[in-house]
Amino acid sequence: MRGLQNLGLGASRSGGSVSGLDISWDELKGRTYMARPHAVILGAGASLAAFPHGDRFGQILPLMNNLVEVLELASSIEAYGLDPSGNFEDTYSELASNLELADLRELVENRVVAYFSDLRLPDTPTIYDYMVLSLREKDYIATFNWDPFLYMACWRNSRVAPLPSTLYLHGCSVVGYCLEHRTMGHTGSKCSVCGTQFTPTRLLYPVRDKDYTADGFINAQWDSIQFVMQNAWLFTVFGYGAPASDAAAIKLLDDAWGGPDKRNLEEIEIIDIRPEDQLAESWSRFIHTHHYRATGDYFRSLLGTFPRRTGEAMWEQLMEARFLEYRSVPRFESLDALQEYMAAIASFESEGN
């Protein structure tokens, strides 16, 4: 992580006290003054980091470079005279633009929805459980992923503490919605206002020119993330590579963020295993001078170090020039233990604190 010692993240411990620090973690837990949101953007790399060996049943999480293989689509694609070994974005773009391939397009889309809908979280804690519990009600997580892991992590941790809002920028395999009343939930459930069964979200598939306004649900999700980005104090990018094929998405985020000159105080964090110079280049249009940090390890990120206090930690560190205690969240073997730990932190967040 860039500037570890300079940022006050390398102070030593002595017995039960912490030396060389202005604010210990126990002190920081009691500070809950930050009202501006922490915005987190998830790409495929986040789910891959959380589930490198697959889901609860060992089902592999498909990426664009192996989706055809994992979903066993090669023979069907070949039957229509297309090359199954080519780039899936190019293949799907052909399906979307050629009416004669409508049947193959429907087959591919149905297979994608069925596969992703069947993915399940393991019983043990995952990075997604840590992540949703490490943010507060004022915060937002927006994902480009089709998988159900973010939704499921929120569902099984919903009674532990107030959780962040979630946005599904490319749709989600298990999320439905009522556009009239702006409600959403698991597919098959009903709108709490009108009682109508939710409409399944339409997945936004990879095409050369994505239209984020054509679908009502996805358009509403983008309106929300743009509003959040305008007001965010912190912006974390986790496993999202800002691909050239998503130029429209990057422009929407960039327009909302306002560019480096307008964000000379806010901090950007990138969680990604790629070299730091590549990450800084990819996100340079968002970064003001040195106001960024990069790490390949979730547990060394702000979320993994200052759960539910990321905003306060960065204010104290950057604006008040105070040295903070750095310590990663414990790696719990049971979900109950993680939930108990996070609930204790959340107990400081009562009204008026």
Side-chain angles (χ1 to χ4, degrees):
M1 184 181 290
R2 173 187 58 86
L4 190 63
Q5 299 295 330
N6 293 334
L7 291 172
L9 301 181
S12 62
R13 296 172 182 269
S14 177
S17 63
V18 183
S19 62
L21 297 173
D22 295 317
I23 303 175
S24 70
W25 169 236
D26 284 337
E27 291 175 298
L28 187 64
K29 282 191 292 189
R31 304 187 181 195
T32 59
Y33 55 78
M34 178 55 68
R36 292 176 63 185
H38 184 164
V40 178
I41 301 287
L42 305 181
S47 290
L48 187 61
F51 308 98
H53 306 296
D55 75 341
R56 178 191 297 181
F57 306 111
Q59 295 186 100
I60 299 300
L61 186 73
L63 302 176
M64 288 300 115
N65 61 1
N66 68 352
L67 187 142
V68 170
E69 177 186 356
V70 174
L71 272 61
E72 300 179 347
L73 289 166
S75 60
S76 299
I77 292 174
E78 281 183 323
Y80 281 81
L82 301 178
D83 180 9
S85 65
N87 181 279
F88 181 72
E89 181 176 353
D90 294 335
T91 300
Y92 189 84
S93 294
E94 178 67 18
L95 301 184
S97 61
N98 189 340
L99 293 178
E100 295 182 358
L101 299 173
D103 289 344
L104 178 58
R105 176 181 175 178
E106 183 178 5
L107 183 152
V108 169
E109 292 180 354
N110 289 341
R111 189 79 59 82
V112 167
V113 171
Y115 189 93
F116 279 88
S117 297
D118 284 342
L119 295 172
R120 292 292 183 271
L121 291 173
D123 293 329
T124 52
T126 71
I127 285 178
Y128 274 76
D129 296 297
Y130 279 89
M131 180 166 48
V132 301
L133 287 168
S134 293
L135 293 166
R136 305 211 298 265
E137 200 169 12
K138 67 181 178 62
D139 303 318
Y140 285 77
I141 303 176
T143 180
F144 284 98
N145 302 332
W146 298 329
D147 64 63
F149 299 132
L150 176 60
Y151 179 86
M152 290 178 174
C154 287
W155 181 84
R156 74 180 187 178
N157 292 291
S158 60
R159 296 187 180 182
V160 178
L163 301 183
S165 296
T166 55
L167 300 169
Y168 302 91
L169 304 180
H170 280 180
C172 178
S173 58
V174 300
V175 171
Y177 65 94
C178 171
L179 196 59
E180 180 180 358
H181 298 108
R182 299 183 69 85
T183 58
M184 65 180 181
H186 196 280
T187 51
S189 55
K190 297 179 180 180
C191 172
S192 59
V193 179
C194 63
T196 303
Q197 185 165 326
F198 284 132
T199 301
T201 58
R202 175 179 171 269
L203 303 188
L204 189 61
Y205 289 86
V207 291
R208 298 181 188 93
D209 299 309
K210 295 184 180 69
D211 186 352
Y212 288 101
T213 63
D215 179 83
F217 173 82
I218 290 177
N219 184 49
Q221 301 293 282
W222 276 93
D223 283 346
S224 295
I225 191 58
Q226 287 180 289
F227 178 79
V228 172
M229 290 289 290
Q230 290 169 5
N231 294 280
W233 164 239
L234 298 175
F235 174 35
T236 293
V237 184
F238 185 6
Y240 178 60
S245 58
D246 247 358
I250 299 303
K251 185 178 187 306
L252 288 171
L253 294 173
D254 187 27
D255 289 346
W257 186 246
D261 292 341
K262 295 182 179 179
R263 294 303 184 109
N264 61 347
L265 299 178
E266 290 83 354
E267 186 84 351
I268 292 176
E269 179 173 58
I270 309 166
I271 308 174
D272 201 299
I273 60 173
R274 291 180 295 160
E276 183 179 336
D277 57 347
Q278 292 183 20
L279 298 175
E281 176 63 26
S282 295
W283 294 97
S284 59
R285 62 198 294 177
F286 291 81
I287 297 170
H288 180 81
T289 60
H290 61 283
H291 283 269
Y292 82 99
R293 59 189 62 217
T295 179
D297 182 358
Y298 171 86
F299 291 96
R300 291 183 64 82
S301 70
L302 295 175
L303 293 166
T305 306
F306 304 110
R308 306 188 71 84
R309 300 295 181 271
T310 55
E312 289 80 5
M314 285 302 93
W315 184 271
E316 297 290 347
Q317 191 166 278
L318 300 176
M319 307 305 295
E320 306 294 341
R322 290 177 175 149
F323 285 84
L324 309 180
E325 179 181 2
Y326 173 84
R327 64 185 203 181
S328 296
V329 178
R331 315 292 178 91
F332 295 101
E333 294 185 1
S334 75
L335 186 60
D336 287 343
L338 170 62
Q339 292 175 340
E340 182 179 356
Y341 178 86
M342 292 298 190
I345 300 173
S347 67
F348 291 93
E349 297 159 18
S350 58
E351 185 177 354
N353 184 6

